Amino acid sequence: MSAAVEVRDLTVAYRERPVLWDIDLIVPEGVLMAIVGPNGAGKTTLIKAVLGLVKPAAGEILIYGKSFASQQRRVGYVPQRGSVDWDFPTNVLDVVTMGLYGRIGWFRRPGRADRTKALHALEKVGMADHADRQISQLSGGQQQRVFLARALVQDADVYLMDEPFQGVDATTERAIIALLRELRSDGKTVVVVHHDLQTVPEYFDEVLLLNVRRLASGPVGDVFTEENLRKTYGGRVGFVGAPAGSPPIANRGPLPERLGGVSRSREPSRN
Amino acid sequence: MIQAQLEIQLIAAVVAAACALPGVFLVLRKMSMMSDAISHAILPGIVLGFFATSDLASPLLIAGATLTGVLTVALVEMISSTRLIKEDAAIGIVFPALFSVGVILIAQYAGDVHLDIDAVLLGELAFAPFDRLVVGGQDIGPRSLYLMSGVLVVNILFIVIFFKELKVATFDAGLAAALGLMPVLIHYLLMGLVSVTAVGAFDAVGSILVVALMVGPPSAAYLLTDRLSVMLVLSALIGAGSAVAGYWMAHALDASIGGAMATMVGVAFFFTWLLAPDKGYVARQRRRTRQRWTFATKMLTVHLLSHEGLPEAAEECREDHLTHHLRWEPAFATQAVKTAMSDGLVARSGPLLELTPAGRKHAARAVVEI
């Protein structure tokens, strides 16, 4: 199996404080991978490092075995919904068309074919009838769908998504996961920063447990264990009677009861 | 109208339009105060350039001042990137430092030349027509008109050529970078343009009022449209219109032209804020009032529906009972009933209120919606 993304010895630091420390990671081609970890674990930073948006202090990142710069067109990006100003004077179709700006290139304007592509992507996320809508009028779930449509028009091979499920309702969550599965069946690779531990085994094939360091990564069934989660969240995951070294959670039925104690707001402990 | 008057108005309109265009992106990037910082901080650049060339319109001086402007932005970003203080405080530290260097330079070494502090602060548009551009012995008009028209054309070209890059860099710099559209380069090009524009506008309106021309018209235009391209055109028009109106206000009051222009920008913004069709204060209040009556009618019809045909109807469906049951003030209750009756939802039958068939439908729908 070839690697869609390969990260070697990646360290990112803000001043002297390491945000990511010596990360090694292989994302196999054609999988859905979740990145989980407490707040401040460096999940967003990892995605930004892969995209070349933050400069690593050390390490190497390869997309299909080559540098990001040479593979830019093959990588699609969905930033956090809250990272932009939704009062910006533009409409839904225009935001989706932005995904094509890289392809269109400097000094050229989007044409009719580009708008058709954007409309098609909006159809896929169920937002085609909102194409002319002012973006300030969208709900949180609709904003997320627009961002997904914008990533779809990029027609990338690897998608990096920063919390696409954040603050969306159950309908939108189901729509998004259906879309991710469709991408996977088209042979695309999708890496998602994810907060809801309960849905990891259901939604994803692979998982990276991150807290500044890589605690574990690999198939969900192998590495999504209570012991690894405890290491990741600093021993503060509230399991009910699960001895260390017990079989992977994914193999043991429904999670909600046993993961009830995970709190998103807690400070991570740094090893 | 004599020729000088016409020329001043033309210069004022061109200056205002030239300022408004890059101003749109400053406002959308939440960097409005950067225009104030740049327009002040270019002063040492202008003064040093003036010492070197003795000419306020020399290209060398413009280049020097533009560099000072970009330096300001870089310094502000450097200081705020240390995360020791916030960006607004960094702006407040950098530009007064540079501006005061300029003020001291003028006071020390330029006491008896054309460059004086009043003109620096407030500009002197009234003298602009005296400085003529002469080509081959032929007077072809005031020099600053050509200078500012050049700046305006450069701004327009920049925005037209880099429209989509500016848009995506402003809306989502992260995506712009991931797409390889170099938002940092676009950012510094824009800041360079703001600096060039500020140098040009400096002559006309002084360093204090440039901020009014860069922030006011785009803010007004923002309230009038949901499209970036329309916002750009509108803010240039609002800027130019305010400039001409300001000229005539100054003419009538025998006041400073720069001051009057900035005042008219404020007036234009005030009326836009008040009267803008969708986002204006009046429109919003109207919408709120309409929603209040829509809601009141809903409550009234639902209330009537739930008691209709029941024994307690004789009590519950009396108009004066609404004040009790729905906690409405008597005047509000009267108005709500009147609204519902004029909408054909409710009819009076003796002392009682009854739903019309339309009212019954309305109430049934309201119950579902709630």
Side-chain angles (χ1 to χ4, degrees):
Chain A
M1 195 158 39
S2 61
V5 181
E6 187 176 354
V7 176
R8 288 186 199 147
D9 310 322
L10 176 72
T11 293
V12 177
Y14 288 127
R15 316 218 148 256
E16 307 309 310
R17 193 171 65 89
V19 187
L20 290 173
W21 186 258
D22 199 20
I23 304 285
D24 289 293
L25 175 70
I26 288 183
V27 184
E29 198 176 346
V31 301
L32 298 185
M33 177 184 264
I35 303 178
V36 299
N39 290 336
K43 304 184 292 289
T44 296
T45 307
L46 177 57
I47 281 196
K48 287 190 169 167
V50 174
L51 288 161
L53 300 181
V54 298
K55 263 211 174 73
E60 193 180 14
I61 295 161
L62 299 172
I63 313 280
Y64 290 103
K66 294 182 196 146
S67 74
F68 173 77
S70 65
Q71 302 284 55
Q72 203 158 40
R73 299 266 181 279
R74 300 180 73 178
V75 183
Y77 175 40
V78 179
Q80 282 183 29
R81 187 158 54 82
S83 67
V84 305
D85 174 13
W86 290 93
D87 286 326
F88 191 85
T90 189
N91 64 22
V92 166
L93 188 67
D94 199 35
V95 170
V96 176
T97 311
M98 284 180 193
L100 293 164
Y101 282 6
R103 226 165 267 269
I104 294 168
W106 294 81
F107 313 114
R108 306 237 317 265
R109 304 203 152 219
R112 190 185 300 269
D114 299 311
R115 273 189 289 276
T116 311
K117 269 187 213 164
L119 255 178
H120 188 65
L122 277 172
E123 265 163 31
K124 275 201 169 166
V125 299
M127 290 278 293
D129 49 340
H130 288 68
D132 297 327
R133 190 71 67 86
Q134 180 58 27
I135 57 169
S136 59
Q137 296 168 2
L138 301 177
S139 71
Q142 291 171 332
Q143 292 174 352
Q144 198 64 65
R145 286 166 188 239
V146 170
F147 263 11
L148 278 170
R150 190 178 70 175
L152 289 182
V153 296
Q154 289 183 250
D155 194 23
D157 294 318
V158 185
Y159 288 93
L160 304 172
M161 307 188 176
D162 203 345
E163 300 200 29
F165 297 106
Q166 204 263 319
V168 304
D169 58 21
T171 322
T172 303
E173 180 155 338
R174 276 195 299 275
I176 293 175
I177 195 66
L179 197 69
L180 299 192
R181 286 178 177 146
E182 198 185 320
L183 287 172
R184 177 179 56 188
S185 64
D186 290 344
K188 318 277 190 183
T189 309
V190 185
V191 179
V192 173
V193 172
H194 195 58
H195 254 313
D196 185 5
L197 296 182
Q198 301 174 18
T199 51
V200 168
E202 185 193 339
Y203 291 171
F204 297 99
D205 313 315
E206 298 252 333
V207 65
L208 161 67
L209 294 158
L210 185 73
N211 190 351
V212 184
R213 296 155 194 267
R214 180 191 67 125
L215 280 306
S217 68
V220 172
D222 298 343
V223 302
F224 199 61
T225 61
E226 290 169 1
E227 194 195 345
N228 282 337
L229 279 169
R230 191 175 287 119
K231 275 196 249 163
T232 310
Y233 286 84
R236 285 193 258 179
V237 179
F239 299 109
V240 181
S246 53
I249 295 175
N251 302 341
R252 302 200 334 185
L255 273 166
E257 308 87 75
R258 283 177 291 123
L259 285 175
V262 181
S263 164
R264 292 176 189 183
S265 58
R266 276 182 199 157
E267 274 300 297
S269 78
R270 296 241 156 78
N271 312 330
Chain B
M1 195 157 49
I2 60 172
Q3 197 196 350
Q5 285 183 322
L6 193 68
E7 286 173 357
I8 293 173
Q9 286 175 69
L10 213 52
I11 295 168
V14 170
V15 167
C19 285
L21 290 176
V24 165
F25 293 99
L26 291 177
V27 167
L28 290 176
R29 286 163 171 254
K30 303 178 179 61
M31 296 179 61
S32 300
M33 291 322 288
M34 199 60 99
S35 62
D36 201 30
I38 289 176
S39 68
H40 281 80
I42 53 178
L43 185 61
I46 290 179
V47 176
L48 292 175
F50 184 67
F51 289 161
T53 62
S54 308
D55 176 4
L56 269 177
S58 131
L60 191 67
L61 178 144
I62 293 172
T66 303
L67 279 179
T68 334
V70 176
L71 175 75
T72 312
V73 179
L75 281 175
V76 168
E77 281 170 4
M78 206 176 82
I79 293 178
S80 56
S81 76
T82 64
R83 301 194 185 186
L84 296 173
I85 56 169
K86 302 276 182 247
E87 188 179 50
D88 58 338
I91 289 177
I93 288 164
V94 170
F95 92 71
L98 289 165
F99 186 65
S100 53
V101 168
V103 170
I104 291 169
L105 284 175
I106 294 177
Q108 288 294 107
Y109 304 109
D112 47 16
V113 293
H114 163 65
L115 200 63
D116 67 78
I117 304 233
D118 279 356
V120 162
L121 293 179
L122 298 170
E124 211 26 281
L125 206 49
F127 297 146
F130 295 122
D131 187 10
R132 314 298 294 186
L133 187 65
V134 180
V135 175
Q138 189 87 31
D139 174 3
I140 57 168
R143 190 136 75 150
S144 59
L145 181 58
Y146 284 94
L147 178 69
M148 284 316 294
S149 300
V151 172
L152 177 62
V153 169
V154 169
N155 286 357
I156 291 173
L157 283 178
F158 177 72
I159 289 171
V160 168
I161 292 173
F162 295 107
F163 186 70
K164 77 177 193 306
E165 286 80 10
L166 275 165
K167 181 158 64 175
V168 68
T170 303
F171 176 65
D172 191 343
L175 178 79
L179 293 176
L181 293 173
M182 295 193 258
V184 176
L185 175 70
I186 291 285
H187 172 72
Y188 273 95
L189 284 175
L190 180 68
M191 291 304 129
L193 215 58
V194 169
S195 304
V196 173
T197 311
V199 181
F202 196 91
D203 223 10
V205 293
S207 62
I208 297 181
L209 299 174
V210 171
V211 60
L213 295 182
M214 285 206 181
V215 177
S219 303
Y222 181 70
L223 298 177
L224 291 171
T225 176
D226 287 332
R227 286 184 56 189
L228 181 57
S229 49
V230 180
M231 183 177 167
L232 283 160
V233 173
L234 278 180
S235 56
L237 291 178
I238 291 170
S242 308
V244 172
Y247 172 79
W248 287 105
M249 178 184 157
H251 187 74
L253 300 176
D254 193 17
S256 145
I257 298 173
M261 277 166 65
T263 306
M264 290 317 287
V265 169
V267 169
F269 176 79
F270 174 74
F271 281 106
T272 313
W273 172 82
L274 195 66
L275 302 172
D278 188 42
K279 302 183 194 168
Y281 180 77
V282 172
R284 266 182 298 143
Q285 286 303 314
R286 246 195 225 149
R287 206 157 44 227
R288 208 163 290 165
T289 311
R290 202 168 47 237
Q291 280 164 357
R292 197 169 63 192
W293 292 119
T294 311
F295 186 65
T297 337
K298 259 185 201 166
M299 278 175 76
L300 176 62
T301 53
V302 170
H303 172 73
L304 293 177
L305 184 70
S306 62
H307 296 293
E308 197 172 42
L310 297 173
E312 75 266 19
E315 176 62 24
E316 291 285 348
C317 299
R318 285 156 56 114
E319 185 178 341
D320 52 5
H321 182 77
L322 297 175
T323 54
H324 176 72
H325 186 96
L326 296 174
R327 296 171 185 272
W328 285 352
E329 295 291 324
F332 187 86
T334 312
Q335 185 59 44
V337 169
K338 216 188 267 174
T339 311
M341 284 173 67
S342 75
D343 288 350
L345 304 171
V346 169
R348 228 183 265 281
S349 146
L352 296 184
L353 296 170
E354 274 183 349
L355 285 173
T356 62
R360 222 162 275 132
K361 249 185 237 158
H362 183 84
R365 205 170 41 233
V367 171
V368 175
E369 279 168 8
I370 290 164

